[in-house]
Amino acid sequence: MATAENEGSLPKGLPRLSDATLRDSAHMAGVEFGPKDAAVIAGLLVKTGIDLVEVGMVSGPDSKDADLVLATHEAIGPERSMTLVVVQDRQQVAKALDEAERLGVRHIMYSIPTSEQHARLKLGSASAKFLHVLARSAISQAKERGFHVTFSGEDGARTPRERLVPYVTAGFEAGADRFRLAETVAFLSPWQMEEVIADLAAIDGSEIEIHSHNMLGMAVANSLAAIRAGAQWISATVGGIGERGGNAPLAELLTSLRVIHGDTRFDLSHLTELSRVALRGAGLGTAFQSGPTTPHAFAYELPGQLSNPEAYETLPAELVGNSRELCVRTRLTPALVTWALAESGVFVDVEAFTPWLVERQERGGRPLLDRDAIRKAAIDFQAA
């Protein structure tokens, strides 16, 4: 039973929930949900009472996540789903929005790096002025097309206040509907999170969402702290499945809201089935755990993450006796294959080998590949 003190620790308006299993979890290294998985997971999330289901990622034409997006729309309708749109420059954004429109997306979430380190890596410039111009342009383009727009602060938790607050202010002035603070790299304690969110919630007309990763085991605590400080939305994933130690686990979050704050809005009876479906669809079995000691915590499938791990890791894998590894099924790119083959003594035409390996993966049931498996496949390719 929640006490009066507990009930007073959250604002009168309890948080709304978005779930990123079909986006963040789906892009965890080695995880690839199919359309059937998407339909079942989305349906169960809506039955549970989740407000918004985040699905897929679009950066331009012919999105690899098109089937997931369409299956989710079929299951729950586009008004209950949101799709991430990558932001690089004005022309790329226009093409990505074209693709979002083709897929029937109504609610988008822009991925925009705000920390100097991530902005320099992904945008080629750490300039705060450039960041503002890019965000304003992207938001204006989307609003002109009628999208509901959430814009992010990727790596926002490590972005200094003097850089973050003006950026968020500029985004709302450009017409954005909501801002998501992405704790891309787990970094803040709950009391620090309250300070960061309080600054953002004080911006005129702001609507704030928190998206935490769980490398330090504080994703749920930080999410609740964010709501206490004025955020209106929490982003979670089923089972906490996700990159970099996982995300705020949905079951723990909803049960915390129920037990600590007396929040009875959600039908928790679907949570076990949701976890079972998500873990099976992700190919993780029943042993997946969030946190820094899981084999998945430092597994990557993007070459930029492998080449610049310090930009994504709260602490180095070696510090907890873990190791960094490539882990992929069919999302192979020439750059990723090049990384895997470096210093192996195996030399192949990467541009020819990559589609060959993707095709073999599809035929073989999409088994997990690590660096050694890619090197062995390259030897098979040489002999073919």
Side-chain angles (χ1 to χ4, degrees):
M1 179 70 69
T3 65
E5 180 182 356
N6 282 336
E7 290 173 355
S9 65
L10 283 173
K12 291 182 180 178
L14 288 167
R16 301 184 71 181
L17 270 290
S18 68
D19 182 275
T21 305
L22 296 175
R23 195 276 300 174
D24 203 320
S25 305
H27 290 91
M28 175 182 167
V31 174
E32 296 182 21
F33 291 113
K36 290 182 180 179
D37 298 319
V40 174
I41 290 169
L44 287 170
L45 286 169
V46 168
K47 287 180 181 179
T48 301
I50 303 306
D51 296 282
L52 202 60
V53 176
E54 187 178 348
V55 56
M57 182 165 59
V58 171
S59 58
D62 302 319
S63 168
K64 293 182 179 179
D65 290 335
D67 288 345
L68 283 188
V69 174
L70 294 173
T72 302
H73 288 180
E74 179 70 22
I76 63 172
E79 68 281 353
R80 293 293 295 269
S81 69
M82 175 173 69
T83 295
L84 184 145
V85 173
V86 177
V87 173
Q88 295 170 344
D89 55 54
R90 183 177 180 83
Q91 290 74 26
Q92 175 268 324
V93 166
K95 292 178 181 178
L97 293 178
D98 287 342
E99 177 72 351
E101 286 185 329
R102 183 184 74 82
L103 296 174
V105 174
R106 297 180 186 174
H107 187 159
I108 65 167
M109 200 278 285
Y110 276 133
S111 176
I112 306 176
T114 54
S115 69
E116 288 191 14
Q117 187 175 18
H118 273 235
R120 188 177 294 110
L121 280 173
K122 296 187 175 183
L123 302 177
S125 172
S127 164
K129 181 178 179 180
F130 174 73
L131 187 65
H132 291 198
V133 170
L134 181 64
R136 285 180 180 274
S137 172
I139 292 166
S140 298
Q141 286 187 71
K143 294 304 295 182
E144 287 169 2
R145 298 187 188 215
F147 288 103
H148 183 285
V149 179
T150 297
F151 71 112
S152 77
E154 185 183 352
D155 202 25
R158 295 194 299 181
T159 304
R161 181 187 187 280
E162 60 273 15
R163 182 180 173 90
L164 184 62
V165 172
Y167 163 76
V168 177
T169 301
F172 281 115
E173 288 175 348
D177 299 285
R178 182 157 72 247
F179 171 74
R180 172 185 284 182
L181 180 74
E183 196 181 13
T184 306
V185 175
F187 182 72
L188 300 176
S189 65
W191 48 94
Q192 291 171 318
M193 179 64 76
E194 285 197 35
E195 293 179 1
V196 173
I197 295 295
D199 285 336
L200 303 179
I203 297 171
D204 287 343
S206 65
E207 181 175 303
I208 308 298
E209 179 174 3
I210 178 62
H211 175 86
S212 282
H213 281 259
N214 205 33
M215 188 66 86
L216 300 181
M218 292 192 290
V220 170
N222 279 350
S223 298
L224 296 178
I227 296 300
R228 180 184 174 100
Q232 295 101 319
W233 285 77
I234 298 175
S235 169
T237 67
V238 177
I241 303 170
E243 299 177 294
R244 296 179 299 284
N247 295 88
L250 182 67
E252 285 92 320
L253 181 62
L254 294 187
T255 51
S256 294
L257 288 171
R258 173 74 66 95
V259 173
I260 300 171
H261 301 293
D263 186 354
T264 59
R265 294 173 298 158
F266 302 97
D267 183 353
L268 307 186
S269 67
H270 301 292
L271 290 178
T272 298
E273 184 181 1
L274 256 173
S275 295
R276 188 161 49 240
V277 170
L279 287 167
R280 183 179 65 241
L284 297 173
T286 58
F288 174 78
Q289 297 290 324
S290 59
T293 58
T294 168
H296 312 288
F298 298 96
Y300 301 109
E301 66 176 13
L302 297 176
Q305 294 173 328
L306 290 160
S307 301
N308 301 282
E310 70 284 349
Y312 295 91
E313 296 176 358
T314 305
L315 42 80
E318 298 77 14
L319 189 64
V320 293
N322 210 331
S323 60
R324 198 172 292 111
E325 184 53 87
L326 179 155
C327 189
V328 66
R329 293 184 190 272
T330 62
R331 294 193 185 109
L332 289 153
T333 63
L336 188 64
V337 170
T338 298
W339 185 92
L341 296 180
E343 301 180 5
S344 68
V346 180
F347 301 98
V348 297
D349 181 344
V350 171
E351 296 294 335
F353 170 59
T354 303
W356 178 88
L357 182 54
V358 170
E359 183 180 352
R360 190 173 84 162
Q361 283 290 100
E362 294 286 4
R363 290 198 313 268
R366 304 188 301 173
L368 273 176
L369 294 173
D370 57 15
R371 177 165 45 185
D372 288 341
I374 291 176
R375 291 177 175 181
K376 289 177 182 178
I379 295 171
D380 293 341
F381 177 74
Q382 287 177 326

